[in-house]
Amino acid sequence: MLRRVLVANRGEIAVRVIRACRELGIETVAVYSEADRDALHVRLADYAYAIGPAPAAQSYLHIDAILDAARRSGAQGIHPGYGFLSENAAFATACRAAGLTFVGPEPETLALMGDKVAARRLAVEAGVPTAPGTPEPVADSEALRAAREIGYPLLIKAAAGGGGKGMRAVASEAELLVALATARREAAASFGEGSVYLEKVIERPRHIEVQVFGDGSGNVVHLGERECSIQRRFQKVVEEAPAPGLPAHVRAALFDAAVRAASRSRYRGAGTIEFLYEPASERFYFMEVNARLQVEHPVTELVWGIDLVHAQLRLASGASLEEALGERGPTGHAIEVRVGAEDPLTAWVPSTGRIGALREPGGPGVRMDSACEPGLEVTPHYDPLLAKLIAHGRTRAEAVQRLRRALDEYVLTGVRTTLPFHRWLVRDHVFLAGDLSTAFMAERWRPDELPVTDEARGVAEVAAADHMGRERARRLAGAGADGAVQPSRWRSAARVEALR
């Protein structure tokens, strides 16, 4: 087993990986930007190293700074989490050159499958259906001709990375060049690489993905599928496993296609093969490969009874595929909602500030993956994802019931969050019926029609109570008339006792 691992990430995924390492007896090294100096992942790790200013390009995307922290800390391996450098072949290559174990696919696999254009070519070679699109990244001069051949509407997609970054829908030729420039800028800022390609829009599909796990020698297994159709601007908002109402023969065909694509690349570790599915025709199309851990991996873990991060670390330490995965099998249903610092009531405007009152839910069948705590400063420098709330039940209906109860328990003040949307969703009759598509949010979400609920009033009351409690604590601490806090006599007495 690896002895010490550097976690090249931040937020909830860094906390998630650190906890998995601790369970396996692995020491952890955190890295942090100036904005994250006091973050939870920094305090949980055994060691922590500063790697630069707040902007990601100068810290979490700074390969030399991360490798220097690994060298100084004595780390043997690096776990990249998701996002940032997790699918960067140059980073994986640099880790190999530095004698570090990269907990993920080989650099050659990342170069092949992390590049979405190359992954499309591989899917074609493996006999997996793909949507019409350009076989290579396009320059502006080529895009107009290619778009006319593909037909509108179409998508501009970043060749690198994922998470909906660097994607733009284009309805006509008049929009194309401006959208290309915007997509390139966003892709370059998110992944350090701005190339894009074009793909035909599939109208009102479902977004289904298959979790795979391979040993790097061509042996690959699947761990079921996930439904990811509820998304906004190509960014997933809610995921569940298994996909509701998916015909058994379609599910089997998706598994077969995913395993064939991953086996052909000799895939190692955890990865996801993503598809668009047309329910009317029962046809599906390869979309892309996410050659890393996914944000939504917890729903697969809860349904399949497996810890994917444990499996990644075991495999990277030399275990076989079966030793890494252990016993597994699907049971029940799980749903995850992403809690982000965005206001769904006002066009999902990002929200910044300091978290005030915080009460995260628990109880049977409820899991929280979070790096939140009272006083946390939410900055504009990174993705707005704060936490993930996951509910598991014997059936989809039971999972929804538990999720509804957990959302009603959840209190987070100080910044606007996506919680109002999720509380509406678990009561929406179309969602409850499992009638899903990538158009769901555009067709169903009408925040201006929402009533002010008792739950919303309750959150306001908690926020007010939190403010009053802080004021009372300030007064008890001895705040003077000018607002300056005087030393508490109790604190002074305790200090004297400690020094005795």
Side-chain angles (χ1 to χ4, degrees), residues 133-366:
T134 57
E136 301 290 341
V138 292
D140 288 2
S141 58
E142 306 166 326
L144 288 170
R145 176 188 55 77
R148 290 174 188 142
E149 292 176 0
I150 296 168
Y152 294 93
L154 55 78
L155 287 175
I156 302 169
K157 301 179 71 173
K165 303 290 194 303
M167 289 182 66
R168 288 293 183 275
V170 178
S172 69
E173 189 168 293
E175 304 172 17
L176 184 62
L177 292 180
V178 173
L180 277 168
T182 303
R184 290 189 202 283
R185 282 196 302 271
E186 187 172 273
S190 299
F191 315 119
E193 216 285 277
S195 60
V196 298
Y197 66 101
L198 308 182
E199 189 174 272
K200 178 70 175 173
V201 166
I202 307 298
E203 301 285 355
R204 297 192 82 258
R206 289 173 64 178
H207 184 146
I208 310 289
E209 62 187 28
V210 178
Q211 176 72 56
V212 295
F213 203 95
D215 65 0
S217 301
N219 300 311
V220 175
V221 298
H222 76 80
L223 296 170
E225 88 283 4
R226 295 185 288 254
E227 173 79 60
C228 305
S229 296
I230 299 180
Q231 50 189 256
R232 174 185 170 273
R233 294 184 181 173
F234 313 112
Q235 175 70 56
K236 300 165 190 171
V237 179
V238 178
E239 301 95 353
E240 57 183 299
L246 192 65
H249 65 279
V250 173
R251 179 176 284 115
L254 283 165
F255 293 164
D256 177 67
V259 169
R260 274 190 284 129
S263 298
R264 191 173 185 88
S265 71
R266 302 177 73 82
Y267 196 89
R268 186 186 74 181
T272 299
I273 317 296
E274 305 206 4
F275 299 92
L276 291 177
Y277 168 60
E278 287 182 313
S281 65
E282 295 191 345
R283 297 176 64 184
F284 60 82
Y285 304 93
F286 170 86
M287 238 176 72
E288 62 189 38
V289 177
N290 280 311
R292 53 172 169 80
L293 203 64
Q294 289 281 85
V295 176
E296 57 270 24
H297 77 272
V299 295
T300 295
E301 292 183 323
L302 290 174
V303 169
W304 283 76
I306 187 171
D307 188 312
L308 283 171
V309 181
H310 280 189
Q312 287 182 306
L313 292 165
R314 289 193 182 105
L315 190 76
S317 299
S320 68
L321 185 64
E322 289 304 315
E323 289 170 339
L325 291 172
E327 294 185 10
R328 58 193 182 276
T331 304
H333 199 99
I335 308 174
E336 171 185 292
V337 298
R338 302 188 185 194
V339 181
E342 299 172 289
D343 186 357
L345 304 180
T346 55
W348 301 78
V349 173
S351 178
T352 59
R354 191 177 298 276
I355 293 178
L358 177 65
R359 183 182 68 202
E360 294 182 328
V366 172

Side-chain angles (χ1 to χ4, degrees), residues 55-117:
Q58 301 174 49
S59 51
Y60 296 106
L61 290 171
H62 195 318
I63 292 176
D64 290 342
I66 292 172
L67 292 180
D68 181 62
R71 178 188 57 79
R72 289 188 287 143
S73 68
Q76 296 170 300
I78 290 184
H79 194 302
Y82 55 71
F84 291 134
L85 295 169
S86 60
E87 293 179 282
N88 189 303
F91 180 52
T93 300
C95 289
R96 177 193 283 172
L100 296 163
T101 297
F102 181 78
V103 184
E106 297 286 355
E108 294 79 9
T109 306
L110 287 175
L112 177 66
M113 300 188 84
D115 182 324
K116 292 175 173 52
V117 174

